[in-house]
Amino acid sequence: MKKPIIILNYKTYTESLGDKGRELTWAARDLMRETGIRIIVCPQTPELHHHKGYDIEVFAQHVDPIEPGSHTGHVLPQTLQACGVTGSLINHSEDRMPAEKIKQCVEILRKLGMTSIVCAESIEKVKEVSAFKPDFVAIEPPELIGSGIPVSKADPDIVTKSVEAVTDPNVKVLCGAGISKGEDVKAALELGTVGVLLASGVVKAKDPKAALKDLVTFT
Ligand SMILES: O=C[C@H](O)COP(=O)(O)O
């Protein structure tokens, strides 16, 4: 079985703040070295700088489609780069954006050589945003987010149909929502995705490092 890509979103959980967040980043880095599985962490925006230089890819949870200038309170892609960030989630279910802005974000990130992961809540949305040619589209049914019920098992159809909906071979499909175990990751791969986007199953686990390890135990 091919190796999955694992995107770990720290959201705004207190369990991922400060030292605890950095320990999680280090644990992900160690696991990546051990297994060769690509793991990307997405800490909270104000803390991104503290995750720089640990030999693991760090992405933002959000970016705004802006150029340097007067945009108080926005997240400038170039600032993310200065923090060692090499990509970003866009249009997460908890931070939606109009389609035009999604497109602009993807284009700006591409111009800067950064990776884009656009989240989508439906097959129609997957089809729409994949036309913007992001690096990844992540299908996430909102009702399963944070539920502990894995999308790859609860709604395999939405995953396979999302994979079918993306006709551009350069746009890879991830799935997310309720993923917490190695068997969920395995199911996601079997449905044709290249990996998973997850948060609570690891960040809020009693033992996040053990949960992270379990995630890559799927053979
Ligand atoms: O960004 C992550 C997704 O919203 C999934 O969250 P979850 O793993 O807590 O269900």
Side-chain angles (χ1 to χ4, degrees), residues 49-62:
H49 195 71
H50 300 300
H51 295 257
K52 185 179 180 179
Y54 294 132
D55 196 24
I56 179 168
E57 289 173 273
V58 177
F59 283 15
Q61 297 177 13
H62 170 84

Side-chain angles (χ1 to χ4, degrees), residues 9 11 13 92 94 140 144-147 177-179 197-200:
N9 181 2
K11 296 203 173 177
Y13 293 132
H92 189 278
E94 292 145 13
E140 291 204 307
L144 294 175
I145 293 179
S147 68
I179 304 286
L197 167 62
L198 82 156
S200 54

Side-chain angles (χ1 to χ4, degrees), residues 98-104 106-107 110 116 118 125 127-134 171:
E100 186 52 32
K101 285 195 170 188
I102 298 174
K103 185 169 183 269
Q104 290 169 359
V106 171
E107 288 170 358
R110 188 184 306 124
S116 51
V118 178
K125 196 73 188 177
K127 208 176 280 181
E128 182 188 7
V129 299
S130 66
F132 306 153
K133 299 182 181 298
V171 180

